[in-house]
């Protein structure tokens, strides 16, 4: 199988994983998740770029860059922007590659407003409630 390239985008407050609501999001930091995901994919020929921002416009710009790059799929946890951002939805709609939306928590078991996901309209697959496994499984879903 030829080498595959992925970008993983993480939205606001995910830079604070590990200390942020550990009862909901677990105790692993974003760096822990990156390392575990990369280690678990060692047997595959993959290249993964990780990007995190707390700023909506930076996420839009990153998605725009991806639309002119040659990656195989985008894995995105838009975090709270999933529930509010038409701008991120519109940017995702411009992509012609698979978009795997991930959420660490099962948002349907939480506050009502988290059940609305604007960005999901542009997502090929949505994985939620799997904790940090979602990143590994999201990438793996594009390798089978
Ligand atoms: C989240 C769920 C969102 O509702 C929340 O705003 C987040 C994280 C998750 O990974 O479970 O920041 O996307």
């Amino acid at each position: 199988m030829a080498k595959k390239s992925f970008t993983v985008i993480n939205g606001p407050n995910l830079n604070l994983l590990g200390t942020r609501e550990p009862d909901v999001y677990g105790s692993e930091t974003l760096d822990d998740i990156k390392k575990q995901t990369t280690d678990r994919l060692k047997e595959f020929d993959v290249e993964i770029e990780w990007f995190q921002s707390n700023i909506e416009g930076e996420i839009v710009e990153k998605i725009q860059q991806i639309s002119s790059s040659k990656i195989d799929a985008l894995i995105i946890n838009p975090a709270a922007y999933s529930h509010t951002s038409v701008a991120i939805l519109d940017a995702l709609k411009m992509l012609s590659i698979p978009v795997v939306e991930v959420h660490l928590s099962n948002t349907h078991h939480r506050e009502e407003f988290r059940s609305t996901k604007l960005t999901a309209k542009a997502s090929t697959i949505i994985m939620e409630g799997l904790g940090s496994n979602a990143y590994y499984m999201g990438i793996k879903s594009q390798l089978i």
Side-chain angles (χ1 to χ4, degrees):
M1 196 193 274
K3 188 182 194 102
K4 292 214 169 182
S5 307
F6 302 94
T7 295
V8 181
I9 295 179
N10 279 293
N13 300 308
L14 294 171
N15 56 316
L16 294 182
L17 286 176
T19 51
R20 174 192 181 200
E21 297 182 82
D23 48 320
V24 178
Y25 298 116
S27 56
E28 294 154 311
T29 65
L30 193 51
D31 277 344
D32 293 337
I33 294 174
K34 280 184 208 174
K35 193 177 173 316
Q36 280 164 25
T37 305
T38 308
D39 286 353
R40 291 173 77 183
L41 291 164
K42 245 190 341 239
E43 65 182 287
F44 299 97
D45 194 9
V46 294
E47 187 173 52
I48 308 169
E49 176 199 21
W50 294 79
F51 174 86
Q52 190 277 329
S53 177
N54 294 323
I55 301 168
E56 186 177 22
E58 286 185 359
I59 296 171
V60 169
E61 280 178 4
K62 186 68 193 170
I63 297 167
Q64 287 182 6
Q65 281 167 22
I66 286 169
S67 66
S68 57
S69 77
K70 292 221 175 330
I71 65 160
D72 293 285
L74 169 65
I75 316 302
I76 183 166
N77 184 344
Y81 286 140
S82 169
H83 316 302
T84 61
S85 179
V86 176
I88 293 177
L89 168 64
D90 286 348
L92 291 174
K93 279 185 169 171
M94 288 188 272
L95 297 180
S96 50
I97 52 169
V99 175
V100 183
E101 177 164 336
V102 305
H103 295 279
L104 296 152
S105 63
N106 182 341
T107 57
H108 295 281
H109 289 178
R110 301 180 64 196
E111 300 98 321
E112 188 59 35
F113 66 84
R114 292 185 204 274
S115 296
T116 301
K117 288 191 198 64
L118 301 188
T119 48
K121 286 258 180 267
S123 302
T124 316
I125 298 176
I126 303 172
M127 293 187 163
E128 56 177 300
L130 296 162
S132 60
N133 291 311
Y135 295 92
Y136 163 72
M137 293 176 82
I139 294 172
K140 188 82 194 289
S141 73
Q142 301 306 307
L143 294 170
I144 51 176

